[in-house]
Amino acid sequence: MEYYSSQISRLIESLASLPGIGIKSAQRLAFHILDMPETEVEMLAGSMIEARRKICYCRQCFTLTDHELCPICKNPDRNQKLIMVVENPRDLAAYEKTGKYDGVYHVLHGAISPMLGIGPADIKLQELMQRLSGDVDEVIIATNSSLEGETTAMYISKLIKPAGIRVTRIASGVPVGGDLEYIDEITLLRALEGRTEL
């Protein structure tokens, strides 16, 4: 039984197709949009269309930007000899929020996953290797600690080490506030191996 007109149903379906938005959230968003003044709806739609048309990859690190170079790559105060490799722009943003990292990034836009048919050629690995022909002291691999992230980290490490560039991996272990009894064995082992002196 149809509850809504075809226009409302289409709006709900469109919103529900977004990641992380279920049907109930889509309904709430749809009715919120319908209650908004028309000028605000036009501004929202216009900003989405403009972002889709103008946002591109940074020429150097491949994060999303609306210029040839992103603000991080353009910043002369950033250490260009230190490159952190992340899977996606959201990971980059997470590290930037710490305010403690002063190097630059390289965004892979994925991770190697043979099960999903994603190989090294499907992510920005070739572009990373081209960057490493310049003056680079260290590459920090900050891929996720999933099977795909670990596979990607090992693959990158094997590619880079022959070039004589230092390759490091971010530490992983027990999260702050985590109960040990609920944490898996691999995470506990990593926490033990990555222990520091007090």
Side-chain angles (χ1 to χ4, degrees):
M1 181 170 160
E2 291 286 327
Y3 295 109
Y4 308 117
S5 70
S6 60
Q7 287 287 328
I8 295 171
S9 294
R10 194 164 59 205
L11 176 59
I12 292 168
E13 287 172 19
S14 295
L15 292 168
S17 71
L18 297 171
I21 305 292
I23 195 72
K24 289 190 177 190
S25 294
Q27 287 173 348
R28 281 193 297 276
L29 287 170
F31 286 113
H32 178 77
I33 290 168
L34 293 172
D35 286 339
M36 290 168 59
E38 192 171 334
T39 54
E40 287 182 27
V41 174
E42 287 171 356
M43 281 176 38
L44 174 64
S47 65
M48 288 191 288
I49 292 167
E50 191 172 348
R52 184 63 187 94
R53 286 183 183 153
K54 292 186 177 179
I55 303 253
C56 59
Y57 291 143
C58 170
R59 176 175 47 87
Q60 186 167 301
C61 75
F62 295 92
T63 193
L64 298 172
T65 184
D66 54 355
H67 292 91
E68 189 176 358
L69 286 175
C70 72
I72 295 168
C73 289
K74 276 195 291 202
N75 187 342
D77 296 329
R78 300 302 284 246
N79 180 357
Q80 300 287 327
K81 295 181 178 186
L82 179 63
I83 299 175
M84 182 184 290
V85 178
V86 295
E87 289 183 28
N88 59 60
R90 292 182 305 278
D91 297 338
L92 181 154
Y95 277 101
E96 278 301 291
K97 285 178 188 172
T98 69
K100 300 294 182 189
Y101 177 68
D102 70 344
V104 293
Y105 297 89
H106 186 85
V107 181
L108 295 172
H109 290 281
I112 297 170
S113 176
M115 300 261 307
L116 298 174
I118 301 169
D122 299 314
I123 58 178
K124 302 286 184 194
L125 276 179
Q126 185 63 41
E127 293 83 352
L128 173 62
M129 296 310 292
Q130 289 170 357
R131 285 182 77 183
L132 299 182
S133 64
D135 190 12
V136 176
D137 292 336
E138 181 181 353
V139 173
I140 303 168
I141 302 175
T143 53
N144 293 320
S145 58
S146 62
L147 179 61
E148 295 82 4
E150 293 296 331
T151 302
T152 305
M154 292 303 296
Y155 188 87
I156 292 170
S157 177
K158 287 179 181 174
L159 279 180
I160 296 173
K161 280 192 175 179
I165 298 169
R166 182 176 182 222
V167 181
T168 58
R169 178 86 167 110
I170 58 166
S172 60
V174 179
V176 174
D179 284 327
L180 294 180
E181 67 180 296
Y182 300 115
I183 296 171
D184 64 276
E185 294 81 14
I186 294 170
T187 302
L188 287 173
L189 180 61
R190 286 266 173 80
L192 183 62
E193 290 171 347
R195 67 191 183 277
T196 55
E197 193 170 326
L198 293 175

